[in-house]
Amino acid sequence: MDLRNEHLNLGEWMELIDSSLADPGSEPLLNLEGDEDPVYDAVFVGGGAGGRFGASYMKAMGGRPLIIDAWPFLGGSCPHQACVPHHLFSEAAEELDRMRWFSDELFFPKFDASRASILELVKLFLAGRGSAHAFMNWQTKEQLDVEYVLNARATIVDKHTVTAAGKTFRTKNLVLGMGARPVNPDIPGLDLRGVYDFVSLVEELDYEPTRCVIIGGSKVAMEYGSFFQATGCDTTIVSRSPLMRTKVLHHVDEDLRRYVVDGMRQRGMTILEEATPISVNGVDGSVRSVTVRLVTGEEVELETDFVFLGTGERPTVEQAQKTLGIEVGPTGRVVVNKRMQTSVPGVYAIGDMISGPMEMFKARKSGVCAARNIMGEDLEFDFTEFPDFLHTTYEVTWVGLSEAEARETYGDDNVIIIQMPPYVEGLDTPNLPLPCAEGTMLYAFSKPELSGFQKLVIDGESRKVVGAHHVGYGAKDAFQYLDFLIHRPEGLTIDTLGWMNELFLNPEHFVQLSRLRAGNAKLRHM
Amino acid sequence: MDLRNEHLNLGEWMELIDSSLADPGSEPLLNLEGDEDPVYDAVFVGGGAGGRFGASYMKAMGGRPLIIDAWPFLGGSCPHQACVPHHLFSEAAEELDRMRWFSDELFFPKFDASRASILELVKLFLAGRGSAHAFMNWQTKEQLDVEYVLNARATIVDKHTVTAAGKTFRTKNLVLGMGARPVNPDIPGLDLRGVYDFVSLVEELDYEPTRCVIIGGSKVAMEYGSFFQATGCDTTIVSRSPLMRTKVLHHVDEDLRRYVVDGMRQRGMTILEEATPISVNGVDGSVRSVTVRLVTGEEVELETDFVFLGTGERPTVEQAQKTLGIEVGPTGRVVVNKRMQTSVPGVYAIGDMISGPMEMFKARKSGVCAARNIMGEDLEFDFTEFPDFLHTTYEVTWVGLSEAEARETYGDDNVIIIQMPPYVEGLDTPNLPLPCAEGTMLYAFSKPELSGFQKLVIDGESRKVVGAHHVGYGAKDAFQYLDFLIHRPEGLTIDTLGWMNELFLNPEHFVQLSRLRAGNAKLRHM
């Protein structure tokens, strides 16, 4: 379907995407300039976050990119199966959690668990996800003027040639952004009905689970598990590593970790750490239980009607590896340098295909980095340091060093901690409603122990903030800027932070807590 | 009561503060070093935000401050009657609003308006406010080591002498931080039962209002009004100025204003702009109605059982003016220079006593600024530019220039707007769930028109961000840092912003929206 001269509005795009998704034999969607046999500056194989941002940037710089994607929409897995449903479900979890704690108190009615449904929220997501797709197709065509071929699988012929939708496209460079898919643990029983990962959850769930066993201890495990538990689906997490001590999470502060994981347990979740899943067991083709070897060596059978796999993701690299001969690392990710160049000149890889966190900032910036290098800039993208977050029923954010890392780096005597609840031995803090913060005010005045946690880690000698850690709500946006500020060459000193203009009463109290300390020539804990 | 060698824990402090508040004849609370006739570097008259931060900073620098406050606790009006209850009520308003919109949808039960009570939330606040007081008394004594005399009214004898609690204190400098009190409009009937301001609301409310008329169009009027309406108390705001067009609010973008005020009306509030209150009328000593002259000239009588005054605040300057002869400006605020020095050498004024916004950043930083100047630093504090916020059932934040101001400053052709919902003529955006943002996900998927508003204003020539505007949730913390970033000499360009590491899915999309545009040598709207 040639859409070049059509200017669909959002509603029309939504219908077209929905009908394309529903019909496996539907036509490719072509937005091509139509000139004879063009040579593109880059073909982006995959129009997810990395491909879409990379192609848009290249076009804006005056280059000529083409995006090819197998789905009938741009944006990739994020709005379709990953970040967006995760955030919808996490917001529901936060809300359900509050409604449970305040059941029959204040203006909250008695909590009715029968109203809370995983299936209903999955359906809410499915009914609405098309609008983001429509917007991205519209925007990329009408505002960003990028050519694309959607609803068509790309075949890489060689590094200058890609075919899709029956057409052959010639290109100077190739940018691989085909994403990743959940990877399953190697145990029997995963083909039973009732076993899901975050992709199949939104695509296939067709009943209301009553109990859940999660295999794996990833962010996805913690986030979806907290959601399931909040709906009243009793959830057990089976994780080889302690939660938040998995290899892919860096800089996790132990106090923050404890607040978060204790909070999950307090809400009724069972968390089996250093436990090994042995098998998923079924009756009549449906899940009935999971066998687990505990840290003690004992084997137990956990009854359940719902198994959720949160063991991580891995990119699909076989086609590119075979056709192009690009190097793939031991963890299955494509090897690239800081310009996103693979081992084959002219071939770039971006997003979840390469190492580093499978997060949006990396996907988008790696796409842009590839584009800018192709266009002649000499730009490196270092994603070894970044702010991070996850959701339980809380929003959890962190950046820079944990307290332990800072003590190791700067020496015990030099590291200053400023935190809420405060860093004080012997004080009767358990019922102290601090941090009394925006987003936790109702908790602070009713259930102070639920009002969150925040910690700032400072190198006392240079007076620079080297780490920030937050559990609560509403600090996520700020951590983007904190990340920038603390990683500048000049860093962010407690003096500069303490002289900022706070918007009191704010979610994290870092500005004012720093100000209370900044008068000291030799800093002290607080 | 000499507390110098007592080390009360928080619970003990709370009891002592409560009993002191309850008994008008209770003893002063003394935390004094006890040496013979000391001369302080500064006596801070008033231990609110400004006095407490200023004194703490001075002490940390090696100076010797003394705080005197008439209340038995430090921290001033913020935790007692102002910011903290406001934030508790605003959080309740946000939650009640969500519960109304989703009544009998998803996991939300049918909304039961009879459960929502202004009085109950006032009582919740009163029951809990003491813990913040206790913490500040404890912290200021035990962690910050600042001397104080509480529960004792200070009498300024001259600029080197203050008496309180039967003692005379000698000082090199005087820092006046006595705060401000609500100022009433000059109309008859304000002595009737049922007329409140934000102070008397928390101190004296003893019934459940069913209808409310708010006199005034201040932030307090908008914030408390939104709360009253959310509880089901039908609220009418009577304001001489259009809302958010009052003199004290700067940089209010018209699109943001419209989103906010339309949202208040959509929730059932009546907003009478350019209207003049004539009288509050009563029967048997209780409020029965308010007479208002509308913009048309017509006079109407609004029936009500609750009148709330939101007409602003004014400091109490008479004693200091008479005793010290300090200059007071035409609006009743003490005149100071950028070092917080009044017209009388050695006398400083801070916080709500001076001009500028009655916000916490100004209170605290003016106190610190006075302290640092007294200690010999040459430091100026310019509070003419600052980020601002208010709450309706939304969190509303803004910093820098409005679109109109930017167009005036940089020229129509140079100003670039990036916003959500996007800046597009003719597109079917009304049902576009954008900004699909953290905190508005449930809205985005169910009631897209409620999912907020965000706008970035850029000077296309320098590529610098000159304004940012947000309606939603969870951006308040970030705006502290945005304020710092855009007001640096080098500013914040779209290129730098677009290369930050976003924590997707984030409350404001400024990082990613900038990145999508930053490839353009000549920027375009979006």
Side-chain angles (χ1 to χ4, degrees):
Chain A
M1 187 181 302
D2 182 2
L3 295 159
R4 187 62 187 175
N5 297 313
E6 309 289 321
H7 298 282
L8 306 188
N9 66 24
L10 299 172
E12 290 164 339
W13 264 121
M14 212 175 323
E15 275 176 45
L16 178 57
I17 293 166
D18 279 351
S19 65
S20 300
L21 278 172
D23 173 12
S26 55
E27 283 182 78
L29 308 177
L30 306 181
N31 170 38
L32 297 169
E33 284 191 20
D35 49 339
E36 194 76 23
D37 202 21
V39 179
Y40 290 95
D41 287 304
V43 167
F44 288 79
V45 183
R52 195 174 86 92
F53 270 69
S56 301
Y57 210 99
M58 175 176 281
K59 178 69 186 185
M61 289 178 83
R64 186 165 183 189
L66 172 71
I67 301 174
I68 304 174
D69 203 290
W71 271 326
F73 54 85
L74 293 163
S77 62
C78 164
H80 199 58
Q81 295 163 338
C83 342
V84 173
H86 147 54
H87 279 79
L88 177 65
F89 300 155
S90 291
E91 193 171 302
E94 176 192 335
E95 187 62 28
L96 283 162
D97 190 48
R98 193 177 294 115
M99 289 168 73
R100 280 179 183 276
W101 284 111
F102 283 101
S103 176
D104 210 17
E105 283 180 40
L106 298 174
F107 50 81
F108 293 86
K110 198 161 157 45
F111 184 71
D112 178 1
S114 74
R115 289 198 71 107
S117 157
I118 298 170
L119 186 58
E120 186 180 39
L121 281 154
V122 164
K123 285 183 177 164
L124 178 71
F125 169 68
L126 287 177
R129 71 176 169 184
S131 59
H133 299 151
F135 180 72
M136 282 191 262
N137 283 11
W138 173 85
Q139 184 190 57
T140 309
K141 179 173 184 293
E142 308 295 342
Q143 286 197 310
L144 303 169
D145 195 21
V146 173
E147 293 173 78
Y148 52 70
V149 176
L150 303 180
N151 210 26
R153 201 163 282 282
T155 301
I156 299 165
V157 178
D158 59 43
K159 71 182 197 173
H160 294 299
T161 318
V162 180
T163 61
K167 291 177 186 288
T168 299
F169 299 98
R170 295 194 300 138
T171 184
K172 295 178 192 161
N173 299 276
L174 208 52
V175 184
L176 308 175
M178 290 114 106
R181 307 297 286 170
V183 59
N184 290 343
D186 187 21
I187 57 170
L190 299 190
D191 53 343
L192 290 164
R193 278 192 304 275
V195 180
Y196 293 86
D197 56 32
F198 74 86
V199 171
S200 56
L201 181 80
V202 296
E203 300 295 350
E204 294 166 20
L205 187 73
D206 58 2
Y207 68 106
E208 189 63 35
T210 64
R211 268 194 279 189
C212 179
V213 173
I214 297 187
I215 295 176
S218 64
K219 270 190 189 183
V220 164
M222 293 177 67
E223 293 172 332
Y224 282 74
S226 296
F227 164 56
F228 301 150
Q229 183 71 36
T231 66
C233 175
D234 266 326
T235 297
T236 299
I237 293 184
V238 178
S239 174
R240 290 176 200 262
S241 315
L243 293 192
M244 301 189 78
R245 287 278 168 247
T246 50
K247 251 188 311 193
V248 293
L249 293 191
H250 69 347
H251 303 321
V252 175
D253 186 84
E254 182 56 23
D255 290 331
L256 174 134
R257 189 186 94 81
R258 200 178 310 124
Y259 191 92
V260 169
V261 178
D262 286 356
M264 293 169 72
R265 288 205 166 96
Q266 190 185 12
R267 284 156 178 84
M269 296 179 79
T270 303
I271 299 169
L272 305 176
E273 295 175 324
E274 298 176 68
T276 311
I278 304 297
S279 63
V280 176
N281 319 307
V283 171
D284 297 336
S286 291
V287 158
R288 182 60 61 90
S289 70
V290 178
T291 304
V292 174
R293 188 182 310 116
L294 303 179
V295 61
T296 57
E298 186 194 355
E299 278 191 17
V300 294
E301 200 175 329
L302 308 172
E303 279 190 40
T304 190
D305 59 357
F306 180 46
V307 170
F308 185 79
L309 306 174
T311 37
E313 293 169 73
R314 188 182 279 251
T316 313
V317 297
E318 288 71 20
Q319 193 203 359
Q321 196 176 15
K322 197 171 140 195
T323 315
L324 300 167
I326 53 172
E327 189 185 343
V328 174
T331 60
R333 313 273 194 110
V334 177
V335 175
V336 292
N337 63 15
K338 286 184 180 171
R339 294 176 180 78
M340 308 305 126
Q341 292 164 325
T342 68
S343 61
V344 177
V347 179
Y348 296 74
I350 62 174
D352 294 347
M353 296 196 84
I354 62 176
S355 63
M358 290 189 178
E359 295 290 354
M360 194 57 98
F361 85 92
K362 195 198 74 180
R364 290 165 166 171
K365 285 176 68 172
S366 62
V368 169
C369 180
R372 290 169 72 172
N373 275 286
I374 290 169
M375 293 301 291
E377 264 194 72
D378 181 20
L379 177 76
E380 294 195 337
F381 174 35
D382 178 357
F383 47 77
T384 54
E385 284 304 320
F386 53 92
D388 210 350
F389 77 97
L390 59 77
H391 295 98
T392 57
T393 52
Y394 287 106
E395 175 208 86
V396 185
T397 46
W398 65 100
V399 66
L401 303 184
S402 69
E403 180 176 342
E405 290 170 332
R407 289 189 184 283
E408 196 154 311
T409 308
Y410 298 102
D412 262 347
D413 293 348
N414 282 328
V415 171
I416 301 300
I417 302 301
I418 297 181
Q419 69 177 43
M420 281 286 174
Y423 192 88
V424 182
E425 270 176 47
L427 189 67
D428 53 335
T429 49
N431 290 316
L432 183 67
L434 287 171
C436 188
E438 178 119 10
T440 57
M441 293 301 289
L442 284 164
Y443 285 145
F445 276 82
S446 300
K447 300 153 204 319
E449 74 281 10
L450 302 181
S451 65
F453 170 83
Q454 43 196 246
K455 179 193 279 194
L456 205 58
V457 183
I458 294 159
D459 167 25
E461 200 171 310
S462 68
R463 303 176 73 85
K464 285 181 184 173
V465 175
V466 297
H469 309 272
H470 190 270
V471 187
Y473 306 102
K476 197 175 180 184
D477 229 25
F479 271 63
Q480 303 174 137
Y481 304 117
L482 273 175
D483 170 61
F484 172 78
L485 288 164
I486 74 173
H487 288 119
R488 293 178 305 166
E490 68 268 41
L492 177 66
T493 64
I494 187 173
D495 307 283
T496 302
L497 183 58
W499 197 245
M500 289 186 186
N501 298 319
E502 67 270 36
L503 289 180
F504 191 77
L505 192 155
N506 37 317
E508 40 92 329
H509 297 337
F510 296 152
V511 172
Q512 52 263 43
L513 289 172
S514 293
R515 187 178 301 143
L516 268 180
R517 286 285 75 156
N520 289 95
K522 179 157 172 52
L523 297 174
R524 292 182 304 177
H525 297 300
M526 196 150 160
Chain B
M1 187 181 302
D2 181 2
L3 294 159
R4 187 63 187 173
N5 297 313
E6 308 289 321
H7 298 282
L8 306 188
N9 66 24
L10 300 172
E12 291 163 340
W13 265 121
M14 213 176 322
E15 275 175 44
L16 179 57
I17 293 166
D18 278 351
S19 65
S20 300
L21 278 172
D23 174 9
S26 55
E27 285 181 75
L29 307 178
L30 305 181
N31 171 38
L32 297 168
E33 284 191 21
D35 49 339
E36 195 75 22
D37 202 20
V39 179
Y40 290 94
D41 287 304
V43 167
F44 288 79
V45 182
R52 196 174 87 91
F53 269 69
S56 301
Y57 210 99
M58 175 176 281
K59 178 70 186 184
M61 288 177 84
R64 186 163 181 191
L66 172 70
I67 301 174
I68 303 174
D69 202 289
W71 271 326
F73 55 84
L74 294 163
S77 63
C78 163
H80 200 58
Q81 296 163 337
C83 343
V84 173
H86 148 53
H87 279 80
L88 177 65
F89 301 155
S90 291
E91 193 171 302
E94 176 192 334
E95 187 63 28
L96 283 163
D97 190 50
R98 193 177 293 115
M99 289 167 73
R100 280 179 184 276
W101 284 111
F102 283 102
S103 176
D104 211 17
E105 283 180 40
L106 299 173
F107 50 82
F108 293 87
K110 198 160 157 44
F111 184 71
D112 178 2
S114 74
R115 287 199 72 108
S117 157
I118 298 170
L119 185 59
E120 187 180 40
L121 282 154
V122 165
K123 286 183 177 164
L124 178 71
F125 169 68
L126 286 177
R129 70 176 170 183
S131 60
H133 299 151
F135 180 72
M136 281 191 264
N137 284 11
W138 172 87
Q139 184 190 56
T140 308
K141 179 173 184 293
E142 308 295 341
Q143 286 196 309
L144 303 169
D145 196 21
V146 172
E147 294 172 79
Y148 52 70
V149 176
L150 303 179
N151 210 27
R153 201 163 284 280
T155 301
I156 299 167
V157 178
D158 60 42
K159 70 182 198 173
H160 294 300
T161 319
V162 180
T163 61
K167 291 176 186 289
T168 299
F169 300 98
R170 295 195 300 139
T171 184
K172 296 180 192 158
N173 299 277
L174 208 53
V175 184
L176 308 176
M178 291 115 105
R181 308 296 286 170
V183 59
N184 290 342
D186 187 21
I187 57 172
L190 299 190
D191 52 343
L192 290 164
R193 279 193 304 276
V195 179
Y196 293 86
D197 56 32
F198 73 87
V199 171
S200 55
L201 181 80
V202 296
E203 300 294 350
E204 295 167 17
L205 187 73
D206 58 1
Y207 68 106
E208 188 64 35
T210 62
R211 267 193 280 187
C212 179
V213 173
I214 297 187
I215 296 176
S218 65
K219 269 190 189 183
V220 165
M222 292 178 68
E223 293 172 332
Y224 281 74
S226 296
F227 164 55
F228 300 151
Q229 183 72 36
T231 67
C233 174
D234 267 324
T235 296
T236 299
I237 293 184
V238 178
S239 175
R240 290 175 200 262
S241 316
L243 293 192
M244 301 188 79
R245 286 278 168 248
T246 50
K247 250 187 312 193
V248 294
L249 293 191
H250 70 346
H251 303 322
V252 175
D253 186 85
E254 181 57 24
D255 289 332
L256 174 133
R257 190 186 93 82
R258 200 178 309 124
Y259 191 92
V260 169
V261 178
D262 286 355
M264 293 170 72
R265 289 203 166 97
Q266 189 185 12
R267 283 156 180 85
M269 297 178 79
T270 303
I271 299 170
L272 305 177
E273 295 175 324
E274 298 176 67
T276 311
I278 304 296
S279 64
V280 176
N281 318 307
V283 171
D284 297 337
S286 292
V287 158
R288 183 60 61 91
S289 69
V290 178
T291 305
V292 175
R293 187 180 312 115
L294 302 179
V295 61
T296 56
E298 186 194 355
E299 278 192 18
V300 294
E301 199 175 330
L302 308 171
E303 278 191 39
T304 191
D305 59 356
F306 180 45
V307 170
F308 185 80
L309 305 174
T311 36
E313 292 169 73
R314 188 183 279 250
T316 314
V317 297
E318 288 70 20
Q319 192 202 358
Q321 196 175 13
K322 198 171 139 192
T323 315
L324 301 167
I326 53 172
E327 188 186 344
V328 174
T331 60
R333 314 274 194 109
V334 177
V335 175
V336 292
N337 63 16
K338 287 185 179 171
R339 294 176 180 79
M340 308 305 125
Q341 294 163 325
T342 68
S343 61
V344 177
V347 179
Y348 296 74
I350 61 174
D352 293 348
M353 296 196 84
I354 61 176
S355 63
M358 290 190 178
E359 295 290 354
M360 193 57 99
F361 85 92
K362 194 199 74 181
R364 291 164 165 171
K365 285 176 70 173
S366 62
V368 169
C369 179
R372 290 169 72 171
N373 276 285
I374 290 169
M375 294 301 291
E377 264 193 72
D378 180 20
L379 178 75
E380 295 193 337
F381 173 35
D382 178 358
F383 46 78
T384 53
E385 282 304 319
F386 54 90
D388 210 349
F389 76 96
L390 58 77
H391 294 99
T392 56
T393 51
Y394 288 105
E395 175 208 85
V396 185
T397 45
W398 64 99
V399 66
L401 303 184
S402 68
E403 179 176 342
E405 290 170 331
R407 288 188 184 283
E408 196 154 312
T409 308
Y410 298 103
D412 262 348
D413 292 349
N414 281 329
V415 171
I416 301 300
I417 302 301
I418 297 181
Q419 69 176 42
M420 282 285 175
Y423 192 89
V424 182
E425 270 177 45
L427 190 66
D428 53 335
T429 49
N431 290 315
L432 183 67
L434 287 171
C436 187
E438 179 117 9
T440 56
M441 293 302 288
L442 284 165
Y443 285 146
F445 276 83
S446 300
K447 300 153 204 322
E449 73 281 10
L450 302 181
S451 65
F453 170 82
Q454 43 196 246
K455 179 194 277 193
L456 206 58
V457 183
I458 294 158
D459 167 25
E461 199 170 311
S462 68
R463 303 177 72 86
K464 286 181 185 171
V465 175
V466 297
H469 310 271
H470 190 269
V471 186
Y473 307 102
K476 197 174 180 184
D477 229 25
F479 271 64
Q480 304 174 135
Y481 304 116
L482 273 175
D483 170 60
F484 172 79
L485 288 163
I486 74 172
H487 289 120
R488 293 178 304 167
E490 67 268 41
L492 177 67
T493 64
I494 187 172
D495 308 283
T496 302
L497 183 57
W499 197 245
M500 288 187 187
N501 297 319
E502 68 269 37
L503 288 180
F504 192 78
L505 192 154
N506 36 317
E508 39 91 330
H509 297 336
F510 296 153
V511 173
Q512 52 264 40
L513 289 172
S514 292
R515 188 178 300 143
L516 268 180
R517 285 284 76 155
N520 288 95
K522 180 158 172 50
L523 297 173
R524 291 181 305 176
H525 297 301
M526 197 151 159

